[in-house]
Amino acid sequence: MQQLLDDIAVRARPLAVEGKVADYIPALARVPADRFALAVRMADGSEHATGDTDMAFSIQSISKLFTLAMAMEWIGDELWERVGREPSGMRFNSLIQLETERGIPRNPFINAGAIVVTDAILARRPMLESSFRTTMRLLAGTERPQYDEEVHRSETETGDLNRAIAYVLKAYGNLREDPMVVTRAYFRACSMAMSARELARAATFLMTPDHDGPFVRGDHAPRLRALMRLCGLYDQSGEFAYRVGLPGKSGVGGGILVVQPGRYTACAWSPPLDRFGNSVAATAALELLAAELG
Ligand code: GLU
């Protein structure tokens, strides 16, 4: 397994030159473009990793997977009156679609959808900031996960498009809390910093049906995987399904998390992104991994 991961790193890592590190959140641009990690956690609990696997990076939209899991657990089906379950076919932060569809986001993994999910959780758990951190620490099995203050500040300073999305949601009656409060909490979750190894571990609940972890009921896992498969890589979800074939979730920090039910979870990280906002080398690494492991 170690040999396999090392070989994948040798082949996938150089492809990072084809991408570009996200700089619309200025603090993300300071991350060295040549970082690379690939971590795999098998169903038996064994872990295998190569590269910068213990280096924490900004999980960004991978947080949407975990906030959705929290919302499904704490809120239940009424969440789906406020957000859809269809692929968007649009950029992750598109405002146009939200306007034409009168404030109902297509799915919980685009920014508008995640902002609604955040709002719904805030109504039940106003201390979302600390519950999210606690949940991620429990899932990762370590106290290490923490918020990156610089990334949070940087996104708060530059996040006008997300604030605009929140105000459109509010105008259509699909946001209960103050848009400034909701986006602040949304930026907070996006600024969580974790390593590839910790993320692969944190996703275990999506792989094993008998998981007895902190918060996720077994019957939510197949539904979360269905949404990951259809919407987890934005308007590249079809391409990712074709190439990698596993349910996944990406973030503009360059991480991609995938699950093979009953067998393994894996997280690849490389900061440079393609024009859709997904990591070039992480996609390639997961394509090679899935081809080998199934
Ligand atoms: N915090 C980022 C944003 O709202 C998340 C986007 C992403 O990771 O895809 O723009």
Side-chain angles (χ1 to χ4, degrees), residues 213-243:
F215 75 96
V216 174
R217 283 196 352 228
D219 57 341
H220 289 151
R223 301 203 158 100
L224 284 160
R225 291 197 305 263
L227 290 164
M228 291 166 78
R229 193 180 277 284
L230 290 169
C231 320
L233 282 94
Y234 312 122
D235 43 348
Q236 279 288 283
S237 299
E239 179 69 11
F240 190 81
Y242 185 87
R243 285 179 57 190

Side-chain angles (χ1 to χ4, degrees), residues 24-25 59-62 64 92-93 109 111 155 162 186-187 190 234 249-253 277:
Y24 77 100
I25 301 172
I59 72 170
Q60 290 296 320
S61 275
I62 297 176
K64 294 172 174 144
F92 62 88
N93 52 7
F109 292 153
N111 288 10
E155 187 163 12
N162 285 319
Y186 164 79
F187 295 149
C190 290
Y234 312 122
K249 184 72 204 85
S250 63
V252 293

Side-chain angles (χ1 to χ4, degrees), residues 1-279:
M1 188 67 165
Q2 190 61 51
Q3 187 62 51
L4 170 68
L5 298 189
D6 292 343
D7 287 350
I8 290 174
V10 167
R11 291 171 65 188
R13 191 171 194 156
L15 301 177
V17 295
E18 293 170 17
K20 188 171 169 302
V21 178
D23 56 6
Y24 77 100
I25 301 172
L28 292 182
R30 65 163 203 233
V31 182
D34 61 353
R35 295 284 183 236
F36 178 91
L38 177 60
V40 182
R41 183 179 168 91
M42 308 303 292
D44 66 5
S46 60
E47 293 179 351
H48 311 273
T50 189
D52 303 306
T53 36
D54 293 313
M55 183 170 288
F57 61 90
S58 189
I59 72 170
Q60 290 296 320
S61 275
I62 297 176
S63 65
K64 294 172 174 144
L65 175 60
F66 296 97
T67 47
L68 177 63
M70 292 163 86
M72 286 169 78
E73 183 88 350
W74 295 338
I75 295 157
D77 279 348
E78 69 190 71
L79 179 71
W80 301 117
E81 290 163 20
R82 300 177 59 187
V83 58
R85 296 191 291 250
E86 297 294 341
S88 76
M90 288 273 199
R91 250 193 99 67
F92 62 88
N93 52 7
S94 169
L95 199 56
I96 297 172
Q97 191 172 57
L98 186 63
E99 231 280 308
T100 53
E101 298 187 358
R102 308 196 67 77
I104 303 292
R106 275 284 176 97
N107 68 64
F109 292 153
I110 53 171
N111 288 10
I115 289 169
V116 167
V117 168
T118 305
D119 181 61
I121 300 177
L122 279 173
R124 306 275 168 113
R125 310 255 169 147
M127 306 302 286
L128 174 57
E129 186 172 326
S130 59
S131 354
F132 182 72
R133 184 175 45 209
T134 305
T135 302
M136 296 316 293
R137 288 179 174 177
L138 281 168
L139 289 172
T142 152
E143 291 295 297
R144 236 174 59 116
Q146 56 185 322
Y147 296 114
D148 182 326
E149 296 301 335
E150 193 186 337
V151 169
H152 180 67
R153 206 174 317 113
S154 184
E155 187 163 12
T156 304
E157 279 166 17
T158 55
D160 290 329
L161 192 47
N162 285 319
R163 281 186 284 270
I165 288 171
Y167 278 102
V168 171
L169 289 165
K170 184 87 176 169
Y172 282 106
N174 198 9
L175 208 73
R176 294 185 187 141
E177 310 289 331
D178 180 337
M180 295 300 281
V181 172
V182 183
T183 46
R184 196 194 129 78
Y186 164 79
F187 295 149
R188 208 66 183 136
C190 290
S191 76
M192 173 59 66
M194 291 171 73
S195 68
R197 192 190 291 273
E198 288 160 359
L199 276 168
R201 209 180 288 160
T204 304
F205 74 89
L206 291 165
M207 163 177 55
T208 43
D210 54 355
H211 170 81
D212 59 354
F215 75 96
V216 174
R217 283 196 352 228
D219 57 341
H220 289 151
R223 301 203 158 100
L224 284 160
R225 291 197 305 263
L227 290 164
M228 291 166 78
R229 193 180 277 284
L230 290 169
C231 320
L233 282 94
Y234 312 122
D235 43 348
Q236 279 288 283
S237 299
E239 179 69 11
F240 190 81
Y242 185 87
R243 285 179 57 190
V244 180
L246 298 173
K249 184 72 204 85
S250 63
V252 293
I256 305 179
L257 185 58
V258 294
V259 188
Q260 169 64 292
R263 295 196 51 210
Y264 63 90
T265 61
C267 182
W269 173 52
S270 162
L273 311 177
D274 62 20
R275 67 194 172 87
F276 301 98
N278 300 315
S279 168

